[in-house]
Amino acid sequence: MKISIVGCGYVGLVTGMGFAKLGHEVTFVDLDDRKIEAINSGKPPIFEKGIEELMEKNAGKYKATKNYESIKETDITFICVGTPSKEDGSIDLTFVRSAASETGRVLKEKDEFHVVVVKSTVIPGTTEEVVKPIIEKESGKEAFRDFGLALNPEFLREGKAVEDFFNPDRIVIGVKDERTREVLEELYSPFKCPKLITDIKTAEMIKYASNAFLATKISFANEIGNICKKLGIDVYEVFKGVGLDHRINPAFFRAGIGFGGSCLPKDVRALIAKAEELGEEPKILKAVIEVNERQPLRMIELLKRHISSLEGKTIGILGLAFKPDTDDVRESRAIPIVKKLLKEGAKVIAYDPKAMNNFSKIFPQIEYAGTGQEVIDRSDAVLIVTEWEEFEELNYRGKIVIDGRRIKKAREALVYEGVCW
Ligand code: UDX
């Protein structure tokens, strides 16, 4: 098939390159010149494991352009633009609206049936109440008759997005018309995982409920972890036992300093905002966010048990990315931690294998080290914020270490404190 992808972030790029590998012809559309140039020269505009190789091996099967007109030559358009948070937590649909209207304008000039698939994470109701009327107005055509419209959420983890694209747990397709359903069933026929066909609103909600539940698991593990810490119990042992119950499953119980990234915090907040708009009080979801906001600051409380005044002290930070194997610092737990340390008058020296450049855009005033060992050697105490594998190779002897992510080797430190263990 000929596929166009609007929006070349993690989701758009990985989805498009995945389809290219499966033999489709892919056209990427984005407004950012830098991304277009990078893709056209076979270089990934983002850091994501496996994507460069995928781009090299499938050269010739994809191209990138700024021109929306090229959608016309394709059979399906995936809208993969970002849905950031507004101040009040609700989602900002600016990019979704403009992608829909540009797509609609192009469809006006096309006679054949064209399928538009929303892959961006959007609050239930958005595809039919926002995207559909925009495309209809701009194209002068009727949805589900002249063009298809569907919602197909992504469940890609950053750092493992390529692996997740080819080995999904499930594929969710929200559709209304038969023709669109057939096109998407054919597109996804090489995948052998369970496929769930639902109406559009349900598919939108599956994405939110999945991310909200993952976030809940983490905050729950952290709350139990905080209690365990007081009782002298290892929370990781506890969840090993809990996770063996087949109704529960062991994943996503890694207690520590909470969740960051581009999805979990934003999606939970958006769901809270929507629930409140509907007159519901989402008590659990609010608590999930509260626990998550408090958790990174517990590291500083633990640190102050050992260094009561941080004024003028050099505090080392190991890890700035919101999780390992990415350069992404969006909602990284390092942000509130560094903010608090600076407020307390500490000097901060940080290291991350991939995310220093991105982090320095938010915190240009802190020092960035060349290696993790330099951070340890030059600081009065070290906070471990991201569990990069290379942090297992460092020498922590003689130091005060507060560990937010369970790095085994750090236990050799003079003083070692786990945040929940
Ligand atoms: C998430 C979802 O997993 C994915 O399905 C969705 O499509 C996008 O959002 P991602 O944001 O890439 O993916 O990261 P994920 O691996 O889910 O981790 C999110 C955050 O939770 C990270 O900050 C991580 O450190 C934290 N986390 C995860 C924990 O603190 N404990 C855990 O047990 C698991």
Side-chain angles (χ1 to χ4, degrees):
M1 282 182 212
K2 290 185 177 168
I3 299 173
S4 45
I5 303 275
V6 175
C8 301
Y10 287 89
V11 174
L13 191 69
V14 172
T15 304
M17 291 302 166
F19 283 134
K21 185 177 175 193
L22 292 175
H24 302 287
E25 206 177 295
V26 179
T27 304
F28 292 94
V29 183
D30 201 289
L31 299 177
D32 185 340
D33 287 316
R34 192 188 59 90
K35 284 186 180 163
I36 306 283
E37 271 169 41
I39 295 170
N40 283 333
S41 52
K43 295 272 167 254
I46 49 154
F47 170 75
E48 182 63 39
K49 202 169 135 207
I51 195 78
E52 188 156 16
E53 200 194 334
L54 208 54
M55 290 177 77
E56 257 166 45
K57 287 202 172 144
N58 295 289
K61 291 196 210 154
Y62 62 85
K63 62 174 193 292
T65 172
K66 261 177 112 163
N67 190 356
Y68 267 90
E69 283 296 314
S70 46
I71 288 177
K72 208 160 124 192
E73 313 306 323
T74 66
D75 310 303
I76 312 182
T77 299
F78 280 87
I79 296 182
C80 302
V81 295
T83 49
S85 285
K86 287 200 254 182
E87 283 281 300
D88 65 355
S90 63
I91 65 168
D92 179 348
L93 291 175
T94 311
F95 303 124
V96 171
R97 284 178 207 275
S98 66
S101 63
E102 294 285 354
T103 304
R105 247 168 260 159
V106 176
L107 294 190
K108 189 174 187 172
E109 310 299 322
K110 182 171 176 177
D111 297 328
E112 301 84 33
F113 189 75
H114 187 97
V115 173
V116 180
V117 184
V118 178
K119 217 177 220 321
S120 303
T121 300
V122 291
I123 275 291
T126 306
T127 302
E128 284 168 289
E129 289 158 26
V130 179
V131 177
K132 177 175 160 280
I134 294 176
I135 302 181
E136 285 182 329
K137 178 172 165 257
E138 295 296 339
S139 65
K141 294 181 193 285
E142 195 183 317
F144 313 120
R145 191 193 70 186
D146 308 325
F147 68 92
L149 186 59
L151 186 288
N152 170 220
E154 53 83 17
F155 301 102
L156 307 173
R157 292 164 299 170
E158 280 182 31
K160 294 208 164 54
V162 173
E163 187 187 318
D164 285 349
F165 177 86
F166 291 107
N167 306 290
D169 286 338
R170 77 305 207 183
I171 289 167
V172 175
I173 300 173
V175 277
K176 192 165 176 172
D177 63 293
E178 203 48 41
R179 246 167 124 180
T180 303
R181 177 194 170 122
E182 279 167 18
V183 169
L184 288 174
E185 276 183 332
E186 193 197 329
L187 180 68
Y188 282 115
S189 61
F191 294 86
K192 298 297 163 229
C193 65
K195 291 167 201 162
L196 190 65
I197 312 275
T198 66
D199 63 27
I200 293 176
K201 251 199 314 205
T202 305
E204 288 169 326
M205 193 51 152
I206 288 173
K207 168 71 189 205
Y208 275 94
S210 299
N211 274 357
F213 188 69
L214 292 174
T216 306
K217 269 188 114 172
I218 300 170
S219 279
F220 179 79
N222 285 335
E223 188 157 291
I224 297 289
N226 295 339
I227 304 168
C228 285
K229 172 95 183 160
K230 292 251 158 80
L231 290 169
I233 296 168
D234 182 351
V235 68
Y236 276 64
E237 284 288 303
V238 170
F239 278 107
K240 212 190 261 175
V242 173
L244 286 171
D245 186 322
H246 76 277
R247 295 166 303 175
I248 298 180
N249 175 298
F252 262 68
F253 277 141
R254 290 193 324 272
I257 48 173
F259 56 85
S262 63
C263 291
L264 300 193
K266 166 178 80 81
D267 294 350
V268 178
R269 286 197 196 104
L271 196 52
I272 291 173
K274 185 67 187 178
E276 288 181 333
E277 184 195 313
L278 296 168
E280 284 298 322
E281 205 207 336
K283 290 190 180 181
I284 294 176
L285 299 180
K286 282 183 172 175
V288 166
I289 294 289
E290 269 168 44
V291 171
N292 200 52
E293 276 168 7
R294 216 180 48 194
Q295 209 61 16
L297 301 175
R298 293 181 81 94
M299 282 192 108
I300 305 202
E301 288 162 25
L302 287 171
L303 172 65
K304 286 169 96 175
R305 282 196 203 162
H306 304 282
I307 303 179
S308 54
S309 167
L310 299 178
E311 184 73 48
K313 292 284 187 303
T314 301
I315 307 300
I317 303 284
L318 288 177
L320 300 168
F322 84 94
K323 68 174 189 180
D325 302 318
T326 176
D327 64 353
D328 197 340
V329 299
R330 283 176 287 178
E331 300 264 359
S332 168
R333 306 293 76 202
I335 296 170
I337 290 171
V338 169
K339 212 180 260 175
K340 179 79 174 153
L341 287 172
L342 293 176
K343 199 167 162 215
E344 301 257 337
K347 278 192 260 170
V348 176
I349 174 165
Y351 169 76
D352 187 286
K354 293 274 180 236
M356 290 197 283
N357 190 22
N358 284 339
F359 204 80
S360 67
K361 291 176 195 152
I362 315 173
F363 290 101
Q365 69 273 49
I366 66 168
E367 196 181 335
Y368 294 89
T371 62
Q373 197 60 52
E374 187 187 336
V375 164
I376 299 175
D377 295 344
R378 291 183 46 205
S379 49
D380 297 304
V382 177
L383 308 185
I384 303 176
V385 176
T386 316
E387 67 276 33
W388 285 96
E389 220 174 289
E390 64 177 72
F391 296 162
E392 287 287 3
E393 309 295 322
L394 302 175
N395 177 0
Y396 297 89
R397 282 193 209 104
K399 290 287 167 178
I400 300 172
V401 175
I402 314 295
D403 185 3
R405 297 291 188 192
R406 196 107 167 160
I407 296 292
K408 264 199 218 119
K409 182 78 179 334
R411 289 171 194 259
E412 68 181 18
L414 177 67
V415 174
Y416 175 85
E417 288 259 19
V419 78
C420 293
W421 55 91

